[in-house]
Each structure stands twice: as structure tokens, then as C-alpha cells.
């Protein structure tokens, strides 16, 4: 309670410890894990969504996206949609006789999820150059800016997304800047 500072409710979520994003009405808590299937390892993030404006914190839903979420700036909630930019990682291993080959693929993706249904309504998967990860994200209304980088290279491609029409998300690489972006404030 904001007036007398008494606790009105609480909820324990075991294993949800990575990042937290708080919007006007919802709390988002993430956990990351690796799924192994058919000689392929894929990183995934579960996002627990809790509405903290209501009295009952025990009601929550789990949304899942491919990739790992860097920080709370990689999230945004607008008009009943969660928008999130994770770094995606998938590694396939091929075993042929005595030879083992492995091909890792790192990139970044953008997902727009309807909070009511939990369905992904729009996405742009693996838009970053291969081997790069999302280093900084900024949402500004129906626009999104994402810097990606191979962390040791110290150059950042900057991507601009127009999210005004979720049926037709457009984006472009606006060029590369020197340095390494950890925040787009």
C-alpha cells in the first residue's frame, strides 16, 4: 500500500531470476534455459507475467520466446502487447562417422506478444548479422532502436523498426557506429 507501506500481496516464483521489467500494470520476470532436441541446442526465455494492480498475485501466465533477454530495457508494453528483443542462439551438432561438426548461430529477434491471448502476433527473427547479439534496445512509442554487436569488435550496427503496423513491421540497418552500446537512453 503506497500510503501506509504495508504489503498487500506476495508471490514466490522459483527459478525466475534473470531480469525484471515493471510496466504500469504488469510485472515481467524472466528465466533462461537451453532446449536440446535432435542434436540442436536452442536458448529460450520464459517470461512470467503478473498483473500487480489486481489483488490476486497468484494468477500469472508464462510466455516463451527464443533467446535470452539482456535486461529490462529489452522489454516494452504498449496497447496490450509485450514487445521484447532477445539475443537468439542455436547450435546444431552433426555427427558423421568419427567427425563431429558444430555450427553455432547467434543473432537477435523482435517479438510482439498479445498479452490477453499469449500469442506472438508479429516477429522479426534473426535480423542481426550472424554472430551478433542485442547489446542495447530502446522502445519509443511505435518505434524501436536496437544496437547489435560482436562484443569484442567494438562496432555497433544500429537497426530501426517501425512497429506502427504489426502486420507489416519494417526495419532497416541505419549504419554502423564505432564503440559498444550498452544503453540507448
Amino acid at each position: 500500500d503506497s500510503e501506509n507501506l504495508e504489503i498487500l500481496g506476495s508471490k514466490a516464483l522459483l527459478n525466475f531470476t534473470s531480469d525484471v521489467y515493471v510496466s504500469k500494470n504488469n510485472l515481467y520476470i524472466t528465466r533462461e534455459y537451453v532446449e536440446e532436441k535432435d542434436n540442436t541446442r536452442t536458448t529460450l526465455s520464459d517470461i512470467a507475467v503478473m498483473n500487480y494492480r489486481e489483488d490476486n498475485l497468484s494468477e500469472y501466465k508464462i510466455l516463451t520466446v527464443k533467446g535470452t533477454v539482456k535486461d529490462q530495457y529489452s522489454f516494452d508494453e504498449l496497447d496490450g502487447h509485450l514487445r521484447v528483443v532477445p539475443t537468439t542462439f542455436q547450435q546444431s551438432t552433426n555427427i558423421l562417422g568419427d567427425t563431429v561438426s558444430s555450427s553455432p548461430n547467434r543473432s537477435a529477434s523482435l517479438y510482439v506478444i498479445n498479452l490477453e491471448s499469449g500469442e506472438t502476433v508479429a516477429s522479426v527473427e534473426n535480423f542481426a548479422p550472424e554472430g551478433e547479439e542485442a547489446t542495447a534496445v530502446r522502445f519509443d512509442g511505435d518505434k524501436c532502436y536496437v544496437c547489435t554487436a560482436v562484443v569484442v569488435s567494438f562496432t555497433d550496427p544500429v537497426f530501426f523498426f517501425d512497429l506502427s503496423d504489426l502486420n507489416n513491421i519494417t526495419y532497416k540497418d541505419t549504419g554502423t557506429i564505432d564503440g559498444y552500446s550498452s544503453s540507448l537512453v
Side-chain angles (χ1 to χ4, degrees), residues 4-130:
N4 61 23
L5 302 179
E6 289 187 26
I7 295 173
L8 297 176
S10 65
K11 178 68 177 171
L13 293 173
L14 299 177
N15 293 327
F16 280 83
T17 59
S18 296
D19 288 294
V20 176
Y21 168 64
V22 180
S23 71
K24 183 177 178 181
N25 296 310
N26 293 309
L27 177 68
Y28 300 89
I29 305 170
T30 65
R31 72 171 171 184
E32 302 164 356
Y33 60 98
V34 175
E35 178 183 78
E36 295 189 34
K37 189 185 331 181
D38 300 327
N39 294 327
T40 301
R41 296 172 51 107
T42 304
T43 59
L44 300 169
S45 290
D46 282 345
I47 305 167
V49 182
M50 268 190 277
N51 184 307
Y52 65 86
R53 295 288 186 175
E54 298 174 5
D55 292 336
N56 186 358
L57 287 178
S58 65
E59 300 279 330
Y60 67 94
K61 64 175 70 172
I62 304 293
L63 308 174
T64 303
V65 295
K66 291 180 185 175
T68 59
V69 181
K70 180 179 186 277
D71 55 27
Q72 71 273 20
Y73 302 108
S74 301
F75 289 99
D76 186 61
E77 179 186 306
L78 184 69
D79 299 331
H81 293 95
L82 174 65
R83 300 157 340 154
V84 60
V85 177
T87 294
T88 55
F89 180 78
Q90 189 170 48
Q91 183 173 16
S92 298
T93 304
N94 296 319
I95 302 171
L96 298 172
D98 294 335
T99 305
V100 176
S101 66
S102 181
S103 58
N105 183 17
R106 183 181 308 271
S107 188
S109 296
L110 167 73
Y111 297 100
V112 180
I113 303 166
N114 180 295
L115 288 170
E116 184 69 30
S117 68
E119 298 293 321
T120 300
V121 295
S123 66
V124 179
E125 295 194 49
N126 301 320
F127 63 82
E130 186 175 325

Side-chain angles (χ1 to χ4, degrees), residues 115-181:
L115 288 170
E116 184 69 30
S117 68
E119 298 293 321
T120 300
V121 295
S123 66
V124 179
E125 295 194 49
N126 301 320
F127 63 82
E130 186 175 325
E132 298 203 356
E133 61 187 77
T135 58
V137 179
R138 176 159 171 92
F139 290 95
D140 185 15
D142 60 4
K143 296 169 181 53
C144 177
Y145 304 88
V146 180
C147 286
T148 65
V150 175
V151 176
V152 296
S153 72
F154 297 107
T155 59
D156 282 354
V158 180
F159 295 88
F160 168 77
F161 291 84
D162 182 350
L163 303 174
S164 59
D165 180 2
L166 295 180
N167 294 317
N168 186 30
I169 294 176
T170 59
Y171 73 99
K172 64 180 176 177
D173 182 344
T174 63
T176 300
I177 58 174
D178 289 333
Y180 174 80
S181 298

